[in-house]
């Protein structure tokens, strides 16, 4: 399986492939990227090549989660204000 972060419709970071031994895979992907704050957007994608049906679990079922966390970082220089 693989996981990827897409920005504005194009892949910017991915992780994988990973082969789980018991039909389960736990993966993560992260990046620091610039965004314009107006119309840039992020998406998460995950896929597998197991050849059979597999589920992506979300929420709290069986301790499995699917999530995206984003943090706005900006530079601040004392005396110059926001840049």
């Amino acid at each position: 399986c693989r996981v990827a972060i897409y920005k504005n419709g194009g892949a910017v970071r991915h992780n994988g492939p990973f082969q789980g031994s018991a039909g389960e895979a736990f993966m993560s992907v992260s990046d620091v990227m610039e965004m314009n704050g107006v119309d840039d957007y992020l998406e998460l994608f995950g896929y597998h090549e197991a050849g059979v049906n597999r589920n992506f679990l979300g929420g709290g079922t069986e301790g499995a989660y699917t999530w995206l966390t984003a943090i706005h970082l900006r530079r601040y220089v004392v005396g110059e204000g926001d840049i």
Side-chain angles (χ1 to χ4, degrees):
C1 68
R2 293 176 185 265
V3 293
I5 299 173
Y6 277 56
K7 176 183 170 186
N8 300 331
V12 293
R13 181 70 60 203
H14 62 86
N15 192 0
F18 174 81
Q19 298 291 331
S21 60
E24 296 180 353
F26 302 93
M27 300 195 68
S28 66
V29 62
S30 62
D31 199 353
V32 175
M33 62 190 77
E34 291 187 34
M35 298 184 72
N36 67 18
V38 177
D39 56 5
D40 283 342
Y41 64 95
L42 299 177
E43 299 171 283
L44 292 180
F45 286 90
Y47 67 93
H48 69 84
E49 299 165 332
V52 295
N53 291 337
R54 295 282 189 247
N55 295 323
F56 283 89
L57 301 177
T61 59
E62 302 175 13
Y65 295 92
T66 304
W67 71 88
L68 168 69
T69 301
I71 300 171
H72 178 208
L73 304 173
R74 63 180 174 181
R75 187 175 73 168
Y76 182 80
V77 178
V78 176
E80 295 181 19
D82 291 336
I83 297 176

